[in-house]
Amino acid sequence: MSLLIVGTVAFDAIETPFGKTDKIVGGAASYISLAASYFYKDIELVSVVGDDFPQTFLNTLKSTGVKLNGLQIKKGEKSFFWSGKYHNDLNTRDTLDTQLNVLENFDPIVPEDAKQPDFLMLGNLVPAVQQKVITQLTKRPKLIVLDTMNFWMDIAMDELKKTIAMIDVLTINDSEARQLSGEYSLVKAAQKILAMGPTTLVIKKGEHGALLFNKDEVFFAPALPLEEVFDPTGAGDSFAGGFIGYLAKTKDISFENMKRAIIFGSAMASFTVEKFGTERLIGLSAKDIENRVQEFVDLVQFDIS
Ligand code: AMP
């Protein structure tokens, strides 16, 4: 049993209505790994950074049990850099800058002993690189989950569609679902996207929760109404980390269990947005997570007699 996580480990510069950061640690795979590590310990990370990346954060990842044998550190090169600015509603953002740097020529190498994972989480990354990871595996994982974003739809749609055809679960936000399908209705969008290959689709709607679709069923998980939302960066990735971490822990990929998994994913996302960057995802206790999940349960539980 193991979980292989692929995605960016990066620097971000973020502007929200509440403040601004210079370069801080971010990246899809950073959030995914931290969130998943609370549920599951046998995690291997495949990614790339430059030699400008802080060893302290890599040590933090290691201390949570994430193995870094598949993390390449490129001498004399710069790490991936993304900068974004959130609108007042915190639900929408503009990308101000994307500097691919080490990602430009990234050739992922899956370590020999990680080539048969039961679970594969393909975090936001160049679609061709995501594909290259799948083709290096010597056994088809039990479940492949892929997250992506509009950036790749804009510049690599064909490659992205080829990758989507190879996976089981796709997680994207509502505007990306509309862009990918060309449909405004999310129900129609889901039908079109499921026809592209995945058996399951998660549509994330920021503070409005997330929808889980398969061919015949749909389920909705709310987002917790939080008093303080400080920085939404990484919420989607933390969601994905909690989702796949919970599935790996429970070894159950039924639709019923995925319903529980999106609640755990939503709980991890709700922590992330409370502080800038990855800060809030470090050092949580099992009790913190249990209490947070209970808040979700209380939020939606009601009796109709
Ligand atoms: P999220 O807020 O969950 O959508 O993810 C934000 C994270 O995605 C940031 O930490 C960025 O470093 C990373 N990111 C932003 N743009 C890209 C991109 N084009 N490819 C891969 N990762 C990205």
Side-chain angles (χ1 to χ4, degrees), residues 8 10-12 26-28 31 80 82 86 93 98 103 124-125 149 151-152 232-238:
T8 44
F11 286 125
D12 293 340
Y31 289 101
F80 175 75
W82 174 80
Y86 287 86
R93 71 182 177 204
T98 302
L103 271 198
N124 191 11
L125 198 64
M149 74 187 286
F151 181 83
W152 303 114
T233 308
D237 306 312
S238 309

Side-chain angles (χ1 to χ4, degrees), residues 47-65:
S47 189
V48 63
V49 291
D51 59 7
D52 55 352
F53 198 79
Q55 186 61 42
T56 44
F57 184 75
L58 301 183
N59 292 343
T60 300
L61 280 181
K62 265 194 221 161
S63 70
T64 67

